[in-house]
Every structure is written in structure tokens, then in C-alpha cells.
Amino acid sequence: QVQLVESGGGLVQAGGSLRLSCAASGRTFSRNAMGWFRQAPGKEREFVAAISWIGGSTYYTDSVKGRFTISRDNAKNTVYLQMNSLKPEDTAVYYCAAHRSNSYYSSSSYNYWGQGTQVTVSS
């Protein structure tokens, strides 16, 4: 069992930055690849970024490449999402998740989820 708690969301103006954190507890965190997803009102949950369990490999959806950075600190059992140059279309609830198997890009590949943190970007 893995428990995930996100924090760091909030209201920010377009062009601003936020850093999301996801604190993990329970099973060995460092053995899981981790991902961030987001869900805007009326839309499907979508992949944002993922990081391998060692942290050497990262993956991003095209719309956030060059603006968002995923990282992890296994000593602190925490994964981060640094979000720069935020746009109104980044507004969503952001979720972190622990990867189980298969594609990093599919939500069905993740078996533990946090409760989400709201990010709102005003124009």
C-alpha cells in the first residue's frame, strides 16, 4: 500500500510558476516510477509527466515540454512538479500516482493515486 498526498497548488497569474509536491508513505517508494496527471472540468484525466524510479528518465506530454520539470527525492519519499510559464489551459486538478506496469502515459498503468491539488491559472 502506498499513500500519496499532493500539495502546492493554488491560484497564479499566467506566466507564473508553482511547484507541486507529492509525499509518499507506505510501501517502498523508491521502487516505483511516479507520474503526474491532471483533470480539467468536463475533460478526461490526462498524462502530464512521469519519472523512473531512479530518476534518470523523464517523460512529458507535448504541451508542457520546456515548461514543466518532474523530479524526485527518494530520501524524502517525495516527487515534485515544477511548473513555469503557466497558461490558463494548465488549470486543472493535478494528481500524482504510483506506476505499476506498462505505459507511463496511461492512467490505467498506475495503481495508487493522491487526492489531487487544484491549480488555477488566471489570464
Side-chain angles (χ1 to χ4, degrees), residues 36-48 89-96 107 113-120:
W36 285 96
F37 286 74
R38 65 186 180 187
Q39 188 167 19
K43 294 189 175 181
E44 297 284 320
R45 188 171 298 190
E46 66 170 351
F47 170 80
V48 176
E89 51 263 44
D90 294 318
T91 295
V93 177
Y94 282 71
Y95 300 89
C96 71
S107 61
W113 293 83
Q115 82 290 347
T117 186
Q118 176 71 47
V119 171
T120 303

Side-chain angles (χ1 to χ4, degrees), residues 78-97:
T78 301
V79 63
Y80 305 97
L81 186 67
Q82 177 68 44
M83 305 186 296
N84 300 328
S85 302
L86 282 161
K87 304 176 181 180
E89 51 263 44
D90 294 318
T91 295
V93 177
Y94 282 71
Y95 300 89
C96 71

Side-chain angles (χ1 to χ4, degrees), residues 4-80:
L4 303 172
V5 179
E6 302 97 334
S7 61
L11 173 64
V12 64
Q13 288 189 331
S17 297
L18 284 174
R19 188 175 82 154
L20 305 184
S21 298
C22 174
S25 61
R27 271 186 43 193
T28 305
F29 165 80
S30 63
R31 293 289 183 176
N32 287 92
M34 298 293 295
W36 285 96
F37 286 74
R38 65 186 180 187
Q39 188 167 19
K43 294 189 175 181
E44 297 284 320
R45 188 171 298 190
E46 66 170 351
F47 170 80
V48 176
I51 187 167
S52 62
W53 70 273
I54 296 177
S57 297
T58 56
Y59 310 84
Y60 299 94
T61 192
D62 286 346
S63 62
V64 308
K65 285 180 181 176
R67 300 189 298 123
F68 290 12
T69 303
I70 188 170
S71 62
R72 67 189 296 163
D73 185 338
N74 287 341
K76 295 182 178 180
N77 286 353
T78 301
V79 63
Y80 305 97

